[in-house]
Amino acid sequence: MRADSAAPHGAARWRWQRILAWALLILLLLVALPVVFPWDWMRGPLNRYVSERTGRHFEITRRLDVRFGFPIRVIAEGLVVGNPEWATERYLVQAERAEVEIKLLPLILQRRLELPWVSLRRPRLGLELLPDGRRSWSLERGEGRERGMQVGAMALDQGSLRFIAPQYGADLRADFVLEGQPKTPDAAMLPLSFRGGGRWRGESVVIEGRAGNVLALRQSGAEPFPAEIYATSGKSSLRAAGRIGSLVGFEGADITLALSGRNLADLNGVTGLVLPATPAYTLESRLRHQAQRWQATDLRAVIGRSPISGELAYDNSGDVPQLTGSLHSRRLDFDDLAPLVGLDRKPARGAAQRNAKAPAASPRSGDRVLPQTRLSVAALTRMNADVQFSADRVVDARPLPLDRIATHVRLQDGVLTLDPLEFGIAGGRVAGDLRLAGASRPVQARLQLTAQGLRLDRMFTAAELNRASAGQVRGRLSLAGQGDSVAELLGSASGEVALLMGQGRISNLLLEILGLDGAEIIKFMMGRDQRVLLRCAAANFAVDNGLMSSRALVLDTADTVIYGHGLIHLGSERVELEFRPYPKDPSILTLRSPLKLTGTLAQLDASVDRAAVAGRAAIAVALAAINPLLGLAATVETGPGEDADCAQVLKQAAMPRQEPPAPPAAPPAAPPARGKRP
């Protein structure tokens, strides 16, 4: 009984052993078959299959091998991949050898070709990107959904590359080579050197540098690779060194940047930014890029002779790029701002010194003071901005006594706004806002400013006679106009301009010259110039279509009261002003008459009423022929002038304009009636 029962159990055990042996054999064959399978036999069918599926030429020219693992590695000796018919370059890839890792699951389940690793020996690459989104490296055929090809990292040794992207004005070529035995530690870290150039955004560029031989094409957890890049475009040059996470849009870049050139505006085409015209510049910063956002920190720049620091961020994720940040300057040279408003830059330092020693030349009659250069506003619609800017100290702002600047710059949909806009001028403060609509033609502009605490002795630093003056000035400016230059904007402007001053002191010599008082001029020129009490001063102009017409022009001192009136044509820069002084004290050697300022802003002529002076002089000569003392008596001024009503003058001048200005009233032809001084 025991022998009979043992036989069935032994037979069953034997059957299971044979089944297990066959299973192991089959598994072994399945594992060994891919290893020993002559994959090169599949080269022809594979070439035809890929060519049919992609609609482009594909060929492994010499040998094919497959090594199974996770992922699978495919080795191709001699690889040719053609570009689509629309591409400029015939081939996407030509290489002596290619090793490619392929992920099976995405290929089987999603029909997506993921290549985490590609190694090419002596490749020639031709990449092209069209404005409609077509890419020469996308291997899907037809107009359906493109799954394309995703490459994680690429290792290169020696070859060439051409990249074309018409929407960026790009046509770049580069040759690269891998150093076999690096001679320095830097060369060991950056063994792949490259050199090339072409056009980027329509500008000619030259590029060279070094990088690791493994280049990350997509962020897939791979270690960022090191790189150094040197580029020049015209007079601009760039040096960048750091690490880059992906060559697709330079994702994950963290680099130090050094940039220099003759004009920041030269970079508008290359960068796509909207940069102002400037003098020569240098710039250093740390630059990071993540998710279509570039961030520049530790920014240090010198524009002309003005140091600037701060940080900026450029976000290109929206429909319109956005620039944000803050900039600060400890010492701003005003001439470095001149190109922004179309002013000529100052000459080189040596030329400036030579010109300072030479006598000042009179402006030509055709010269203009207001800038005629066209404002560069066409690019304002290409970018939005929100940037804070401040300068602690402003130098070389002659003839403006500018001390400091602070403003908040906003650019939205082609409208540039500086609000608030604050200046330190002549020891005081000027604040307001500026709005410039660059998208309209002609450009629309509006400027509103209020001034407080401006020191009279610092307002006209070039005038020697003003050093003896003291007092504080306040004012208001409100103008709106249209035009493509500062001159055109002011030539069409409407609004008002007002300057007011209460008690202070002013140079007596200046007043006596205005009044042509010979005795007082001789006295103050022989001795020291004196200061007289200034009771009040006011200037208020209504502006209509570039025509400034006086509403109030009064200067009242303890010595003289002066009334004025007239016009200033901002379009033609013509000046027609008349001032009539009324002395408050008797004086001799006086041939007082109205003082006229005529000519242009560039060349003002001060003259007197020749007929009145000639008539009074003739009387003096006739009387002198009889008796010299009688001739002297004809020049005696009895001083009929009276104080102006300062309270009323300042109130009227400070009153904002409510309606279009009436024709300017002439100043009193006769001295004001005597009365009690206010």
PDB file of all heavy atoms in Angstrom, residues 210 228-231 237-241 255-260 283 285:
ATOM      1  N   ARG A 210      31.938  78.180 -23.372  1.00  0.00           N
ATOM      2  CA  ARG A 210      32.232  76.812 -22.970  1.00  0.00           C
ATOM      3  C   ARG A 210      31.072  76.288 -22.142  1.00  0.00           C
ATOM      4  O   ARG A 210      30.310  77.056 -21.536  1.00  0.00           O
ATOM      5  CB  ARG A 210      33.525  76.752 -22.162  1.00  0.00           C
ATOM      6  CG  ARG A 210      34.747  77.268 -22.881  1.00  0.00           C
ATOM      7  CD  ARG A 210      35.988  77.129 -22.036  1.00  0.00           C
ATOM      8  NE  ARG A 210      35.857  77.847 -20.776  1.00  0.00           N
ATOM      9  CZ  ARG A 210      36.732  77.736 -19.772  1.00  0.00           C
ATOM     10  NH1 ARG A 210      37.767  76.917 -19.888  1.00  0.00           N
ATOM     11  NH2 ARG A 210      36.570  78.428 -18.656  1.00  0.00           N
ATOM     12  N   GLU A 228      29.642  79.067 -19.790  1.00  0.00           N
ATOM     13  CA  GLU A 228      30.130  80.438 -19.917  1.00  0.00           C
ATOM     14  C   GLU A 228      29.836  80.893 -21.339  1.00  0.00           C
ATOM     15  O   GLU A 228      30.112  80.163 -22.296  1.00  0.00           O
ATOM     16  CB  GLU A 228      31.634  80.523 -19.647  1.00  0.00           C
ATOM     17  CG  GLU A 228      32.023  80.319 -18.207  1.00  0.00           C
ATOM     18  CD  GLU A 228      33.514  80.491 -17.993  1.00  0.00           C
ATOM     19  OE1 GLU A 228      34.218  80.760 -19.003  1.00  0.00           O
ATOM     20  OE2 GLU A 228      33.973  80.358 -16.851  1.00  0.00           O
ATOM     21  N   ILE A 229      29.279  82.089 -21.468  1.00  0.00           N
ATOM     22  CA  ILE A 229      28.882  82.602 -22.776  1.00  0.00           C
ATOM     23  C   ILE A 229      29.435  84.008 -22.945  1.00  0.00           C
ATOM     24  O   ILE A 229      29.323  84.847 -22.041  1.00  0.00           O
ATOM     25  CB  ILE A 229      27.342  82.620 -22.922  1.00  0.00           C
ATOM     26  CG1 ILE A 229      26.766  81.211 -22.755  1.00  0.00           C
ATOM     27  CG2 ILE A 229      26.936  83.199 -24.273  1.00  0.00           C
ATOM     28  CD1 ILE A 229      25.246  81.184 -22.723  1.00  0.00           C
ATOM     29  N   TYR A 230      30.022  84.260 -24.089  1.00  0.00           N
ATOM     30  CA  TYR A 230      30.485  85.595 -24.479  1.00  0.00           C
ATOM     31  C   TYR A 230      29.771  85.949 -25.785  1.00  0.00           C
ATOM     32  O   TYR A 230      29.814  85.174 -26.753  1.00  0.00           O
ATOM     33  CB  TYR A 230      31.995  85.619 -24.679  1.00  0.00           C
ATOM     34  CG  TYR A 230      32.786  85.097 -23.519  1.00  0.00           C
ATOM     35  CD1 TYR A 230      33.061  83.744 -23.402  1.00  0.00           C
ATOM     36  CD2 TYR A 230      33.251  85.957 -22.531  1.00  0.00           C
ATOM     37  CE1 TYR A 230      33.788  83.248 -22.329  1.00  0.00           C
ATOM     38  CE2 TYR A 230      33.980  85.471 -21.459  1.00  0.00           C
ATOM     39  CZ  TYR A 230      34.237  84.115 -21.366  1.00  0.00           C
ATOM     40  OH  TYR A 230      34.955  83.630 -20.302  1.00  0.00           O
ATOM     41  N   ALA A 231      29.111  87.103 -25.820  1.00  0.00           N
ATOM     42  CA  ALA A 231      28.366  87.498 -27.010  1.00  0.00           C
ATOM     43  C   ALA A 231      28.575  88.981 -27.271  1.00  0.00           C
ATOM     44  O   ALA A 231      28.693  89.786 -26.338  1.00  0.00           O
ATOM     45  CB  ALA A 231      26.875  87.196 -26.857  1.00  0.00           C
ATOM     46  N   SER A 237      28.345  94.193 -25.635  1.00  0.00           N
ATOM     47  CA  SER A 237      28.973  92.912 -25.340  1.00  0.00           C
ATOM     48  C   SER A 237      28.396  92.339 -24.063  1.00  0.00           C
ATOM     49  O   SER A 237      27.967  93.076 -23.158  1.00  0.00           O
ATOM     50  CB  SER A 237      30.488  93.059 -25.213  1.00  0.00           C
ATOM     51  OG  SER A 237      30.818  93.903 -24.122  1.00  0.00           O
ATOM     52  N   LEU A 238      28.395  90.993 -23.971  1.00  0.00           N
ATOM     53  CA  LEU A 238      27.807  90.285 -22.841  1.00  0.00           C
ATOM     54  C   LEU A 238      28.723  89.155 -22.419  1.00  0.00           C
ATOM     55  O   LEU A 238      29.294  88.453 -23.259  1.00  0.00           O
ATOM     56  CB  LEU A 238      26.421  89.748 -23.204  1.00  0.00           C
ATOM     57  CG  LEU A 238      25.702  88.854 -22.187  1.00  0.00           C
ATOM     58  CD1 LEU A 238      24.203  89.095 -22.254  1.00  0.00           C
ATOM     59  CD2 LEU A 238      25.991  87.366 -22.450  1.00  0.00           C
ATOM     60  N   ARG A 239      28.837  88.987 -21.102  1.00  0.00           N
ATOM     61  CA  ARG A 239      29.528  87.832 -20.535  1.00  0.00           C
ATOM     62  C   ARG A 239      28.637  87.246 -19.465  1.00  0.00           C
ATOM     63  O   ARG A 239      28.187  87.953 -18.561  1.00  0.00           O
ATOM     64  CB  ARG A 239      30.878  88.223 -19.937  1.00  0.00           C
ATOM     65  CG  ARG A 239      31.628  87.043 -19.326  1.00  0.00           C
ATOM     66  CD  ARG A 239      32.886  87.491 -18.602  1.00  0.00           C
ATOM     67  NE  ARG A 239      33.604  86.351 -18.050  1.00  0.00           N
ATOM     68  CZ  ARG A 239      33.321  85.777 -16.875  1.00  0.00           C
ATOM     69  NH1 ARG A 239      32.322  86.253 -16.151  1.00  0.00           N
ATOM     70  NH2 ARG A 239      34.032  84.743 -16.448  1.00  0.00           N
ATOM     71  N   ALA A 240      28.352  85.944 -19.566  1.00  0.00           N
ATOM     72  CA  ALA A 240      27.502  85.264 -18.597  1.00  0.00           C
ATOM     73  C   ALA A 240      28.165  83.969 -18.179  1.00  0.00           C
ATOM     74  O   ALA A 240      28.712  83.245 -19.018  1.00  0.00           O
ATOM     75  CB  ALA A 240      26.120  84.984 -19.193  1.00  0.00           C
ATOM     76  N   ALA A 241      28.120  83.680 -16.887  1.00  0.00           N
ATOM     77  CA  ALA A 241      28.704  82.451 -16.362  1.00  0.00           C
ATOM     78  C   ALA A 241      27.822  81.946 -15.236  1.00  0.00           C
ATOM     79  O   ALA A 241      27.367  82.718 -14.385  1.00  0.00           O
ATOM     80  CB  ALA A 241      30.130  82.699 -15.859  1.00  0.00           C
ATOM     81  N   ILE A 255      22.839  82.636 -13.269  1.00  0.00           N
ATOM     82  CA  ILE A 255      24.111  83.071 -13.838  1.00  0.00           C
ATOM     83  C   ILE A 255      24.454  84.470 -13.347  1.00  0.00           C
ATOM     84  O   ILE A 255      23.593  85.227 -12.899  1.00  0.00           O
ATOM     85  CB  ILE A 255      24.057  83.074 -15.386  1.00  0.00           C
ATOM     86  CG1 ILE A 255      22.946  84.011 -15.883  1.00  0.00           C
ATOM     87  CG2 ILE A 255      23.848  81.677 -15.930  1.00  0.00           C
ATOM     88  CD1 ILE A 255      22.839  84.104 -17.387  1.00  0.00           C
ATOM     89  N   THR A 256      25.729  84.798 -13.417  1.00  0.00           N
ATOM     90  CA  THR A 256      26.185  86.167 -13.215  1.00  0.00           C
ATOM     91  C   THR A 256      26.384  86.793 -14.590  1.00  0.00           C
ATOM     92  O   THR A 256      26.921  86.157 -15.500  1.00  0.00           O
ATOM     93  CB  THR A 256      27.492  86.212 -12.423  1.00  0.00           C
ATOM     94  OG1 THR A 256      28.488  85.448 -13.107  1.00  0.00           O
ATOM     95  CG2 THR A 256      27.282  85.660 -11.032  1.00  0.00           C
ATOM     96  N   LEU A 257      25.962  88.027 -14.710  1.00  0.00           N
ATOM     97  CA  LEU A 257      25.905  88.688 -16.007  1.00  0.00           C
ATOM     98  C   LEU A 257      26.712  89.971 -15.972  1.00  0.00           C
ATOM     99  O   LEU A 257      26.647  90.736 -15.009  1.00  0.00           O
ATOM    100  CB  LEU A 257      24.443  89.001 -16.361  1.00  0.00           C
ATOM    101  CG  LEU A 257      24.161  89.748 -17.656  1.00  0.00           C
ATOM    102  CD1 LEU A 257      24.337  88.805 -18.836  1.00  0.00           C
ATOM    103  CD2 LEU A 257      22.738  90.300 -17.648  1.00  0.00           C
ATOM    104  N   ALA A 258      27.475  90.214 -17.021  1.00  0.00           N
ATOM    105  CA  ALA A 258      28.192  91.483 -17.202  1.00  0.00           C
ATOM    106  C   ALA A 258      27.885  91.981 -18.605  1.00  0.00           C
ATOM    107  O   ALA A 258      28.089  91.256 -19.591  1.00  0.00           O
ATOM    108  CB  ALA A 258      29.687  91.302 -17.019  1.00  0.00           C
ATOM    109  N   LEU A 259      27.386  93.207 -18.692  1.00  0.00           N
ATOM    110  CA  LEU A 259      26.926  93.763 -19.960  1.00  0.00           C
ATOM    111  C   LEU A 259      27.504  95.158 -20.121  1.00  0.00           C
ATOM    112  O   LEU A 259      27.579  95.927 -19.162  1.00  0.00           O
ATOM    113  CB  LEU A 259      25.395  93.812 -19.972  1.00  0.00           C
ATOM    114  CG  LEU A 259      24.672  94.149 -21.268  1.00  0.00           C
ATOM    115  CD1 LEU A 259      24.906  93.063 -22.309  1.00  0.00           C
ATOM    116  CD2 LEU A 259      23.177  94.282 -20.999  1.00  0.00           C
ATOM    117  N   SER A 260      27.904  95.511 -21.333  1.00  0.00           N
ATOM    118  CA  SER A 260      28.425  96.848 -21.589  1.00  0.00           C
ATOM    119  C   SER A 260      28.107  97.241 -23.021  1.00  0.00           C
ATOM    120  O   SER A 260      27.896  96.379 -23.888  1.00  0.00           O
ATOM    121  CB  SER A 260      29.936  96.918 -21.347  1.00  0.00           C
ATOM    122  OG  SER A 260      30.625  96.057 -22.240  1.00  0.00           O
ATOM    123  N   LEU A 283      27.055  97.084 -16.828  1.00  0.00           N
ATOM    124  CA  LEU A 283      26.024  96.526 -15.954  1.00  0.00           C
ATOM    125  C   LEU A 283      26.459  95.151 -15.485  1.00  0.00           C
ATOM    126  O   LEU A 283      26.933  94.334 -16.284  1.00  0.00           O
ATOM    127  CB  LEU A 283      24.687  96.454 -16.693  1.00  0.00           C
ATOM    128  CG  LEU A 283      23.457  95.937 -15.939  1.00  0.00           C
ATOM    129  CD1 LEU A 283      22.198  96.622 -16.480  1.00  0.00           C
ATOM    130  CD2 LEU A 283      23.316  94.422 -16.079  1.00  0.00           C
ATOM    131  N   SER A 285      25.006  91.866 -12.783  1.00  0.00           N
ATOM    132  CA  SER A 285      23.868  91.410 -12.005  1.00  0.00           C
ATOM    133  C   SER A 285      23.889  89.892 -11.900  1.00  0.00           C
ATOM    134  O   SER A 285      24.590  89.199 -12.657  1.00  0.00           O
ATOM    135  CB  SER A 285      22.555  91.869 -12.653  1.00  0.00           C
ATOM    136  OG  SER A 285      21.437  91.416 -11.912  1.00  0.00           O
TER     137      SER A 285
END
